[in-house]
Amino acid sequence: MSEVGDDIETLRSQIAQLESQLGDLKRRLSAVVNTVNALSKPSQLTEVAKGWKWPLEAEEYKRYGRQMIMPEVGLQGQLNLKKASVLIVGVGGLGCPAAAYLAGAGVGTLGLADGDTVETSNLHRQILHSTGRVGKFKVDSAIEYLRQLNPGVEYVAHTSHLAPTTALDIFERYDLILDCTDQPTSRYLISDAAVLSGKPLVSASALRTEGQLMVLNNPPSLPGLRDGGPCYRCVFPKPPPAASVLSCGEGGILGPVVGVMGVLMAMEAIKIILAGLDIPEEVESNGNEQTSTKDPHSLLLYSAYGYPPFRSVRLRGKRARCDACSADQAITKDSLKSGSLDYAVFCGTTSPVNILNKEERIDANDYAQKLASAVEEHVLVDVRDKVQFDMCSVDGSLNIPFAELDSCTTENVTGSDHPELQALHASDAPIYTVCRFGNDSQLAVQKLKALGYDNNGKRYIGDIKGGFRVWKEDVDPTWPEY
């Protein structure tokens, strides 16, 4: 019993000490509250305001001091950042790090434009979003994060995709544009709108382990004048073939790669702002042609596995017959605002492939029944690359990546050392092809027939419609989504 009594006394002593500490904390809290209430009186606030004589607020000196003491920035550079307005189009892998560093640097107004919502597949690279904000507009998710990072910046939300009819009205509100999108249609639209509105443009892209970056339309100039910077159409007059364009969802992307490019975009934007957005560059006369004293325009290339990882390619200046920025420009403000410019047509169709006849295709459900019944012997050819095949596959399927199949000809296919191709020759069973989305599988059907695997029409070859995307929806909900 004596031990229990000792424990009771010990506990009472500890409670008394804690109550004493709690009383001290309450008194200190009361003193702080009284001080805040006293300072919040209008007369005293006015007196404090009158006594402040510096161009930035006290909190701003603390927040930005580490960059202001650099000669490249200084007080004037920080004031340039504070009055600058920047629009970021695309709040994904590029836009997230770019927005974070621009907000952190103290850009006065930061506009974010994106019509997409946050998905789980975004989170490994789009660092402003989080698991708890899946399903939310990317713009709103990003602003929620950025306000915590720097509440002194004005954030403007544009929660819809950029359109030709609205682009100019939006661009007019900003000093500088960052193209953080991932499609050729949007890149041409953003560049055209930047030229027509007279805004410098920082453009970048990233895929797999590589990225590239350009600063375009810098300095801006009137159409026909050669002293300004080239636009996107000057560098790429024609879009790439639609079939060759891969998105991150199709080709893959390593998070740090797109992060590197987004950070570099922020750096280029800051350099432009520090140089002075409203200060025209000096132009020297060189005979009959005027040339800018600005450093030559270049394309920065990054490869995570390259050595060295960074390379720079010098770009030519404005193209003499550019449709957007030459004296013979075909793209005008009126044509853009009217919606008569169809960027999807210009860049080629991006709709799903639909090249097979009805008889050459089978629904995912119908194939699943055929697979379960095991009545008909057949061969299932998965034409995804080996990496994806190793992630998940249907039992018994053969993996023949479409890239390898596409490189085969009638001359070399019989001698191919690919065991799966040899296995196809050893059987007359029907062949079904499948891929991730149902596009490459259709091309594979055509290729297999061209290589003679259909035995002059005697052997059935067809694809599973919609690929593994539909397979997950209709047949196997446990199929991994990636």
Side-chain angles (χ1 to χ4, degrees):
M1 292 295 292
S2 59
E3 292 180 359
V4 175
D6 291 342
D7 289 343
I8 292 173
E9 289 301 321
T10 300
L11 290 172
R12 285 176 176 171
S13 175
Q14 290 176 351
I15 291 172
Q17 291 177 3
L18 292 174
E19 287 178 341
S20 176
Q21 293 176 8
L22 180 60
D24 290 339
L25 290 173
K26 288 181 177 180
R27 285 189 290 273
R28 289 167 59 188
L29 175 62
S30 178
V32 171
V33 170
N34 291 336
T35 301
V36 171
N37 290 337
L39 288 175
S40 65
K41 294 180 180 179
S43 60
Q44 297 215 13
L45 280 177
T46 303
E47 184 178 340
V48 171
K50 286 181 179 179
W52 190 256
K53 58 183 179 181
W54 310 108
L56 293 172
E57 297 177 7
E59 195 275 338
E60 291 176 308
Y61 280 97
K62 289 182 180 180
R63 181 180 287 269
Y64 308 122
R66 296 297 187 272
Q67 65 190 37
M68 287 174 62
I69 60 177
M70 297 171 52
E72 293 85 355
V73 182
L75 175 60
Q76 185 57 53
Q78 193 61 49
L79 291 172
N80 286 353
L81 286 166
K82 185 174 182 178
K83 71 178 181 180
S85 56
V86 179
L87 174 66
I88 296 177
V89 185
V91 193
L94 293 168
C96 283
Y101 278 100
L102 288 174
V107 167
T109 301
L110 194 58
L112 304 176
D114 198 318
D116 288 340
T117 56
V118 178
E119 299 178 359
T120 302
S121 60
N122 303 147
L123 300 180
H124 83 286
R125 67 192 184 280
Q126 300 180 15
I127 58 173
L128 300 189
H129 312 310
S130 66
T131 304
R133 295 200 288 272
V134 169
K136 196 171 187 177
F137 274 115
K138 287 186 177 181
V139 167
D140 295 334
S141 169
I143 290 177
E144 184 176 334
Y145 177 98
L146 294 170
R147 283 202 174 112
Q148 293 293 319
L149 175 66
N150 191 349
V153 175
E154 179 185 356
Y155 301 102
V156 182
H158 303 279
T159 54
S160 61
H161 292 296
L162 200 68
T165 53
T166 60
L168 288 177
D169 291 335
I170 294 175
F171 280 25
E172 290 293 344
R173 311 176 201 174
Y174 299 93
D175 301 317
L176 175 64
I177 313 299
L178 270 63
D179 180 0
C180 300
T181 61
D182 62 356
Q183 292 294 329
T185 50
S186 57
R187 292 193 189 115
Y188 282 100
L189 167 59
I190 291 168
S191 176
D192 292 345
V195 169
L196 293 173
S197 57
K199 312 294 182 181
L201 173 64
V202 181
S203 177
S205 61
L207 185 66
R208 292 175 174 161
T209 61
E210 299 180 344
Q212 63 181 35
L213 178 144
M214 299 178 289
V215 178
L216 302 168
N217 199 41
N218 184 46
S221 66
L222 295 173
L225 297 182
R226 300 300 299 277
D227 58 295
C231 71
Y232 194 83
R233 288 182 185 268
C234 293
V235 182
F236 302 108
K238 295 182 179 179
S244 69
V245 177
L246 293 177
S247 67
C248 292
E250 296 167 327
I253 181 66
L254 198 58
V257 172
V258 73
V260 166
M261 303 314 298
V263 169
L264 290 173
M265 293 183 79
M267 185 68 250
E268 292 301 320
I270 290 172
K271 286 163 59 179
I272 293 171
I273 296 169
L274 293 179
L277 288 162
D278 54 353
I279 302 176
E281 297 199 25
E282 295 181 3
V283 176
E284 299 175 340
S285 178
N286 183 18
N288 295 326
E289 186 178 352
Q290 290 183 322
T291 58
S292 171
T293 59
K294 180 179 173 63
D295 292 336
H297 300 282
S298 62
L299 170 67
L300 180 67
L301 301 173
Y302 171 68
S303 175
Y305 287 90
Y307 184 80
F310 288 99
R311 292 187 298 119
S312 184
V313 178
R314 183 169 180 173
L315 298 176
R316 295 179 179 179
K318 283 190 171 185
R319 197 164 57 90
R321 295 185 178 179
C322 177
D323 288 338
C325 66
S326 71
D328 301 324
Q329 65 174 159
I331 299 170
T332 64
K333 289 186 176 182
D334 289 340
S335 63
L336 194 64
K337 286 187 173 182
S338 68
S340 61
L341 297 175
D342 194 328
Y343 288 87
V345 172
F346 172 70
C347 293
T349 179
T350 57
S351 57
V353 175
N354 190 15
I355 57 176
L356 298 182
N357 297 324
K358 183 179 179 180
E359 294 75 19
E360 296 174 294
R361 314 201 69 186
I362 185 172
D363 290 330
N365 269 323
D366 292 340
Y367 176 77
Q369 293 175 9
K370 186 182 294 291
L371 186 66
S373 64
V375 173
E376 178 190 63
E377 181 185 356
H378 67 276
V379 180
L380 177 63
V381 177
D382 188 332
V383 297
R384 296 175 299 160
D385 59 48
K386 185 178 184 302
V387 174
Q388 295 184 55
F389 183 80
D390 289 343
M391 289 168 58
C392 49
S393 62
V394 175
D395 290 342
S397 59
L398 301 180
N399 181 217
I400 306 177
F402 178 72
E404 297 181 19
L405 179 64
D406 196 40
S407 65
C408 293
T409 64
T410 53
E411 288 76 20
N412 65 20
V413 69
T414 54
S416 172
D417 57 358
H418 201 300
E420 281 75 13
L421 282 173
Q422 293 178 356
L424 289 184
H425 271 300
S427 171
D428 290 326
I431 299 174
Y432 296 93
T433 63
V434 67
C435 65
R436 188 177 177 190
F437 298 115
N439 295 329
D440 285 347
S441 58
Q442 295 183 64
L443 299 173
V445 169
Q446 289 191 330
K447 185 66 177 183
L448 288 169
K449 289 185 175 182
L451 293 174
Y453 283 95
D454 64 339
N455 296 335
N456 295 320
K458 298 177 182 178
R459 184 185 193 183
Y460 177 83
I461 303 179
D463 92 308
I464 299 176
K465 288 193 290 186
F468 286 120
R469 176 180 58 82
V470 174
W471 183 265
K472 176 179 177 61
E473 294 173 357
D474 296 349
V475 178
D476 183 6
T478 69
W479 184 264
E481 183 177 0
Y482 57 93

